[in-house]
């Protein structure tokens, strides 16, 4: 009997939590819609390989530099898609980037202004070197015993991140002025949820292909599909 009561209580707690999470901020509550953006690149992928002779136990002997990653159906990975000019409160969730296998994972991370945790899961010395103008630049060592460094980016901008210990390491932190953004996956698709209804402009940014915009009509509770093609500059 005790077990049954415990299970019932647990289920009720989980259900309560789910209801709470789905309540405020859900698409219907705000009258927003979803935008599914598909980003394509018809050119050739640009993935370079570099011989590595430092920290090879953790880094391997070959670094892969992913400049333009193209997947199935010409889908372009690692593009930041967002709703241009939108307004919205920052998300409470902390952004996270990890240095793993001498790579920044994910390669591109997007966040609203606030804190980001920069992990070092490699057990070797890394260095965080950011190239920014709106936010103060960072250039600090992250020794192996410093598993996490928390940094703050208050101003929207797209920030390049490198590691001065491993010259090939490259990542991007997109600090967005609102929570309406996504990063394209392996098939070039990203979903932006709770987008305010009406005429919106979708902006796509890619580290080597630049920026492209496309207009879309967002309807409450519906998914609008947008296909964007990027070309080499
Ligand atoms: Cu490094």
């Amino acid at each position: 009997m005790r077990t049954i009561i415990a299970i019932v209580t647990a289920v009720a707690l989980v259900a309560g939590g789910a209801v709470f999470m789905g309540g405020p901020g859900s698409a219907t509550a705000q009258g927003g819609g979803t935008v599914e953006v598909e980003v394509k690149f018809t050119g050739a992928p640009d993935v370079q390989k570099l011989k590595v002779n430092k920290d090879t136990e953790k880094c391997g002997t070959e670094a892969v530099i992913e400049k333009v990653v193209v997947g199935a159906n010409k889908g372009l990975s690692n593009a930041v898609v967002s709703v241009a000019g939108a307004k919205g409160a920052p998300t409470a969730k902390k952004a996270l980037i990890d240095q793993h296998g001498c790579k920044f994972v994910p390669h591109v991370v997007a966040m609203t202004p606030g804190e980001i945790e920069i992990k070092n899961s490699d057990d070797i010395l890394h260095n965080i070197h950011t190239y920014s103008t709106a936010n103060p630049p960072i250039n600090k060592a992250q020794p192996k015993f410093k598993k996490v460094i928390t940094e703050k980016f208050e101003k929207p901008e797209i920030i390049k991140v490198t590691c001065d210990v491993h010259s090939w390491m490259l990542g991007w932190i997109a600090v967005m002025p609102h929570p309406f953004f996504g990063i394209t996956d392996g098939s070039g698709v990203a979903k932006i949820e709770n987008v305010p209804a009406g005429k919106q402009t979708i902006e796509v940014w890619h580290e080597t292909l630049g920026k492209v915009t496309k207009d879309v009509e967002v309807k409450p509770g519906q998914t609008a599909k947008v296909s964007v093609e990027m070309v080499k500059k």
Side-chain angles (χ1 to χ4, degrees):
M1 190 59 194
R2 260 217 176 131
T3 325
I4 291 166
I5 290 168
I7 291 168
V8 169
T9 313
V11 168
L13 279 173
V14 169
V19 167
F20 175 73
M21 282 169 72
S26 72
T28 42
Q30 288 183 350
T34 299
V35 181
E36 192 181 304
V37 191
E38 187 180 29
V39 184
K40 289 179 182 251
F41 178 66
T42 46
D46 185 356
V47 178
Q48 297 169 10
K49 289 182 176 169
L50 185 83
K51 282 259 173 292
V52 169
N53 54 15
K54 193 178 198 178
D55 295 326
T56 48
E57 265 180 39
K58 297 288 175 178
C59 305
T61 53
E62 194 177 69
V64 179
I65 303 160
E66 301 181 314
K67 291 198 165 178
V68 182
V69 181
V70 184
N73 298 323
K74 303 282 177 195
L76 178 71
S77 299
N78 297 327
V80 180
V81 303
S82 62
V83 180
K87 286 189 173 69
T91 48
K93 218 175 116 196
K94 240 186 226 175
L96 177 81
I97 194 165
D98 189 14
Q99 294 162 104
H100 186 73
C102 306
K103 276 179 86 168
F104 288 105
V105 182
H107 181 62
V108 182
V109 66
M111 61 185 279
T112 49
E115 290 186 330
I116 179 167
E117 287 190 343
I118 303 170
K119 269 179 80 182
N120 176 0
S121 53
D122 274 344
D123 224 20
I124 54 170
L125 171 73
H126 282 299
N127 153 278
I128 306 294
H129 195 167
T130 65
Y131 297 80
S132 59
T133 51
N135 295 276
I138 301 158
N139 188 1
K140 61 169 77 162
Q142 188 167 8
K144 61 177 180 183
F145 56 85
K146 257 195 176 164
K147 299 287 178 208
V148 180
I149 290 180
T150 302
E151 293 291 345
K152 216 171 188 180
F153 297 114
E154 311 260 27
K155 301 274 188 331
E157 74 174 315
I158 293 179
I159 302 167
K160 182 172 126 179
V161 190
T162 64
C163 165
D164 294 344
V165 181
H166 308 102
S167 61
W168 62 89
M169 285 178 69
L170 173 66
W172 298 89
I173 300 170
V175 186
M176 310 302 286
H178 54 69
F180 308 112
F181 57 73
I183 309 280
T184 56
D185 61 15
S187 30
V189 176
K191 264 188 191 174
I192 317 174
E193 283 171 345
N194 300 326
V195 177
K199 279 204 169 82
Q200 299 286 8
T201 301
I202 300 300
E203 193 171 278
V204 183
W205 174 91
H206 183 269
E207 61 183 280
T208 47
L209 302 172
K211 244 179 210 179
V212 171
T213 59
K214 194 155 190 181
D215 292 343
V216 62
E217 176 84 35
V218 181
K219 289 181 181 153
Q222 292 185 21
T223 297
K225 290 194 176 185
V226 185
S227 189
V228 179
E229 197 177 319
M230 297 204 88
V231 290
K232 209 157 202 166
K233 303 243 154 197

